[in-house]
Amino acid sequence: MVEGKEVAMVYFRTLYDPRHFKSDDIWRLRRDLELSAAITVPCVRHQLVNTKLFQMVLTQRSVLDRYTPSSAVTDKILELFCETLHLNMNVEGDKNAQLGIDHPDGYVIKPQREGGGHNIWEEEMREKLLSLSGDPARAQYILMKRITAPRRKNKIVRRGVMSERFNTVSEFGCFSVYCTDGAGIVKQNKTVGPLIRTKVAGENEGGVGVGIAAIDSPYFV
């Protein structure tokens, strides 16, 4: 009870992967939680907008302009985006797939998944794209230009044990708070601090949850 009002929150630690939905009962549970009066973290809208196909759409200027105050701000944001291409079953999708087949070291294909451990790289990516030729399942993936991050010597602590010093790469982001009501009206939208994930250079994947990367701290100079 908060100020005499009943408040409930559902924080999802599962139901992010198709393998979690093992029966119709699980689908009904997810639906009932979404339609309840509880605060869901995330709600289905926020969960879907975090998927790769939505991220790809947001790299398009015509879409991004709807959410920025000016074209100048859009320009600055677009400078941060890597080339992200669809793999739909049409001429352009075929062209994009061929780009990945011809340059397997320069691109990565990503499915509609979260949490790390799902992306397909290099020769495995090339073979996957060849196997998906003519298969509508190809449209479930996106093709993204591979990021070449600068390497730095660092140590990583896992399970309380410090590693040796080796080459690492880091990814910088932000912790954010985003809250909407049942009608989709934004109640709160702000950044609350930096997020850095660091992993051993040469590791393709980078999920913290799967034990590949570690949460890091920025040192501003």
Side-chain angles (χ1 to χ4, degrees):
M1 302 294 289
V2 178
E3 297 180 352
K5 296 181 179 180
E6 182 180 348
V7 178
M9 183 181 77
V10 179
Y11 178 74
F12 288 100
R13 293 292 293 169
T14 184
L15 305 186
Y16 287 97
D17 190 287
R19 293 172 297 180
H20 300 158
F21 293 84
K22 297 181 179 180
S23 69
D24 289 342
D25 288 340
I26 303 299
W27 282 104
R28 284 191 288 268
L29 172 63
R30 182 64 178 91
R31 179 200 62 190
D32 291 345
L33 291 171
E34 187 67 28
L35 296 177
S36 73
I39 300 168
T40 51
V41 186
C43 69
V44 69
R45 287 191 296 260
H46 298 173
Q47 186 173 349
L48 288 174
V49 80
N50 194 47
T51 59
K52 299 301 183 288
L53 290 176
F54 274 93
Q55 291 173 19
M56 179 189 69
V57 170
L58 286 170
T59 66
Q60 300 172 11
R61 170 176 285 279
S62 60
V63 176
L64 192 58
D65 271 335
R66 296 169 55 188
Y67 304 100
T68 60
S70 67
S71 293
V73 173
T74 300
D75 289 338
K76 290 182 179 180
I77 295 174
L78 288 174
E79 289 177 2
L80 302 174
F81 291 160
C82 283
E83 181 183 23
T84 306
L85 306 169
H86 71 79
L87 293 170
N88 295 340
M89 304 309 294
N90 54 30
V91 173
E92 187 175 4
D94 291 343
K95 179 181 177 181
N96 294 339
Q98 191 61 49
L99 187 64
I101 292 169
D102 293 341
H103 304 280
D105 294 328
Y107 290 86
V108 55
I109 57 174
K110 299 185 174 186
Q112 295 285 82
R113 299 290 186 272
E114 295 185 54
H118 304 292
N119 300 333
I120 305 175
W121 310 78
E122 300 168 352
E123 186 59 27
E124 184 182 358
M125 179 195 72
R126 181 178 179 277
E127 293 174 0
K128 183 70 173 179
L129 287 171
L130 287 170
S131 71
L132 289 171
S133 179
D135 187 343
R138 190 182 72 185
Q140 300 174 18
Y141 298 86
I142 64 166
L143 180 75
M144 193 182 89
K145 192 172 182 64
R146 190 164 183 173
I147 299 171
T148 304
R151 300 185 175 197
R152 294 180 176 86
K153 294 290 185 180
N154 207 340
K155 297 181 180 181
I156 295 179
V157 178
R158 290 194 179 98
R159 299 180 180 89
V161 179
M162 183 174 291
S163 71
E164 297 178 3
R165 193 165 179 260
F166 41 56
N167 284 323
T168 64
V169 293
S170 299
E171 176 184 301
F172 185 89
C174 293
F175 286 108
S176 301
V177 174
Y178 186 73
C179 182
T180 62
D181 63 14
I185 304 301
V186 178
K187 297 297 184 179
Q188 194 170 47
N189 182 15
K190 64 180 182 179
T191 56
V192 293
L195 165 65
I196 297 180
R197 291 178 290 191
T198 296
K199 64 180 181 179
V200 178
E203 283 280 3
N204 285 332
E205 294 292 347
V208 173
V210 294
I212 298 173
I215 297 293
D216 208 340
S217 300
Y219 180 71
F220 296 105
V221 294

